[in-house]
Amino acid sequence: MSDDTILLAARKALSGLTMPDGTPFLGASQVSGPTVSNGRINVSILTTADAAAALGDIRAKAEVALRNVPGAVTAFVTLTNDKTIAPVLKPAATAKPEILAGVSHVVAVASGKGGVGKSTTAVNLALGLRANGLKVGILDADIHGPSLPTLLALHGQPRMGQDRRLLPMQSNGILAMSMGLMVDAETAMVWRGPMVMSAITQMLSDVDWGTLDVLIVDMPPGTGDAQLAIAQGTTLAGAVIVSTPQDLALIDARRGIAMFKKVDVPILGLVENMAHFTCTDCGKQHALFGTGGAEAEAKRLGVPFLGAVPLTMDLRAASDSGQPIVARDPEGQLGRLYIDMARALWANLTASYPNTQTHKKL
Ligand code: ADP
């Protein structure tokens, strides 16, 4: 079905709705859209922080109406506010959304800046947790640079389940969902903090994750509003911070640690990535970015150090092939390293939450 046909049907579906003040939804000045791209419908409602709560109902109604539009692949109606996000946030201590009741722990993998190997770490830790017998899902929340579709060779569109919730995809024995499968890159590029948060909380609640021991969330890089919003809005059990040994990256990592501590999310571990380079010709290890910095820093900050991952071509090649190193070569040196780090992560998690029960892995 063409986007134009879907757009017409989407407008029709919204035509009966009204804003809380009685004006027609489609005619309201703060409503942008609907837009349709590859069957994905997006609408945004501009609001102030104070008015956001009052718009929750109409947002949900509009979304339900759009989901029933024939041919619609996904439908998102987001509240957006460029200036402040605070009142849109749920307080840090809110209970897990009912919908995530089957997920024992949501764990964020974060980094202070992009390009340090956060996604590579997230996906290999997820596979490492699975190798330790756990049932695992991974959500790629890196809206501006989603890499999970490549890392796990996810193709096509997620399917809709019976209750019109999306079914996560399966790859290498874990469940996976990526913003990259839902929203096209151009739409996501212009999203700011509140829209990012609103989209991610919807990804958590609109996807049928079923029962999981751990849901890994590959966070957007950095420590801005969007990250803080996710940390507060998703009831995280803990966070893993990824850093390269460079001083600059460590400063960023410290910022990340401080952010999670501020919202009372325990740091379950620090992973040092691209720690050293093993020369394929001479076999010697070269510490390109200095050595031991992350471990010393972890000790100084009182956070667990999970391990140091070398810079290697193997890791990169495996990631590019859609079969991450833990899936491709679990017995190899790197595979074992990630599986060991995942075991340490799980130990830290169950130490923080001693009543944890485990599920049967996929
Ligand atoms: P981020 O999520 O922090 O942006 P990615 O995980 O996408 O980072 O990694 C960025 C690039 O670096 C990717 O091409 C990835 O394959 C590569 N990479 C990550 N970690 C390593 C490593 N230890 N050795 C070699 N290449 C790596």
Side-chain angles (χ1 to χ4, degrees):
M1 197 174 290
S2 78
D3 284 348
D4 286 347
T5 314
I6 297 172
L7 180 62
L8 275 177
R11 294 191 67 87
K12 198 166 158 216
L14 296 173
S15 61
L17 300 181
T18 49
M19 297 293 274
D21 66 0
T23 51
F25 182 80
L26 276 176
S29 57
Q30 68 261 52
V31 172
S32 310
T35 58
V36 182
S37 168
N38 297 324
R40 300 161 189 181
I41 310 176
N42 281 293
V43 174
S44 59
I45 309 173
L46 188 69
T47 176
T48 61
D50 291 343
L55 291 168
D57 261 6
I58 182 65
R59 189 206 69 73
K61 266 191 201 148
E63 202 168 78
V64 169
L66 292 174
R67 294 239 160 127
N68 288 317
V69 166
V73 177
T74 59
F76 280 117
V77 179
T78 33
L79 297 177
T80 172
N81 170 8
D82 288 348
K83 295 196 181 59
T84 167
I85 55 167
V88 187
L89 300 179
K90 296 177 196 144
T94 43
K96 222 185 297 187
E98 192 54 40
I99 231 97
L100 276 180
V103 178
S104 302
H105 302 296
V106 182
V107 173
V109 175
S111 64
K113 61 171 198 161
V116 301
K118 171 182 54 58
S119 299
T120 307
T121 309
V123 82
N124 282 299
L125 281 180
L127 292 165
L129 287 165
R130 181 191 184 263
N132 281 290
L134 299 166
K135 199 171 171 196
V136 185
I138 182 164
L139 169 66
D140 181 1
D142 193 347
I143 289 188
H144 297 123
S147 40
L148 211 60
T150 310
L151 285 170
L152 289 174
L154 306 175
H155 302 293
Q157 299 278 339
R159 284 189 306 118
M160 195 83 86
Q162 280 177 342
D163 55 357
R164 298 197 72 78
R165 288 172 74 207
L166 290 170
L167 299 172
M169 295 186 155
Q170 253 193 59
S171 173
N172 296 290
I174 59 175
L175 296 182
M177 185 57 98
S178 170
M179 284 308 287
L181 301 169
M182 314 280 300
V183 188
D184 60 64
E186 278 159 42
T187 308
M189 280 314 276
V190 298
W191 285 4
R192 310 209 185 170
M195 282 181 88
V196 172
M197 186 205 98
S198 161
I200 288 167
T201 30
Q202 281 176 58
M203 284 288 281
L204 285 165
S205 59
D206 291 356
V207 174
D208 187 358
W209 292 104
T211 53
L212 291 178
D213 294 309
V214 183
L215 176 63
I216 296 278
V217 180
D218 182 3
M219 297 277 282
T223 48
D225 288 347
Q227 291 77 4
L228 187 63
I230 300 164
Q232 286 191 295
T234 51
T235 324
L236 296 174
V240 173
I241 307 283
V242 183
S243 171
T244 64
Q246 285 155 298
D247 259 350
L248 187 67
L250 283 176
I251 290 167
D252 289 318
R254 274 201 290 272
R255 216 173 279 144
I257 291 170
M259 180 190 84
F260 284 111
K261 285 197 166 160
K262 196 162 97 189
V263 290
D264 291 328
V265 172
I267 305 295
L268 300 166
L270 181 70
V271 173
E272 184 178 32
N273 191 34
M274 309 188 193
H276 49 259
F277 174 66
T278 307
C279 177
T280 39
D281 293 332
C282 68
K284 275 196 199 137
Q285 284 197 356
H286 301 284
L288 297 182
F289 304 122
T291 180
E295 186 164 10
E297 188 62 25
K299 202 172 271 174
R300 205 181 65 75
L301 293 169
V303 301
F305 183 68
L306 292 183
V309 180
L311 184 75
T312 88
M313 297 293 274
D314 288 353
L315 201 58
R316 204 197 154 97
S319 296
D320 290 347
S321 76
Q323 223 198 358
I325 199 81
V326 173
R328 187 192 258 202
D329 188 13
E331 300 298 328
Q333 206 180 342
L334 281 169
R336 285 206 315 269
L337 173 63
Y338 279 113
I339 292 170
D340 288 347
M341 289 200 296
R343 187 177 305 121
L345 166 61
W346 181 248
N348 295 343
L349 200 50
T350 46
S352 300
Y353 304 89
N355 293 328
T356 301
Q357 313 236 328
T358 53
H359 302 286
K360 223 169 137 216
K361 76 176 176 183
L362 290 173

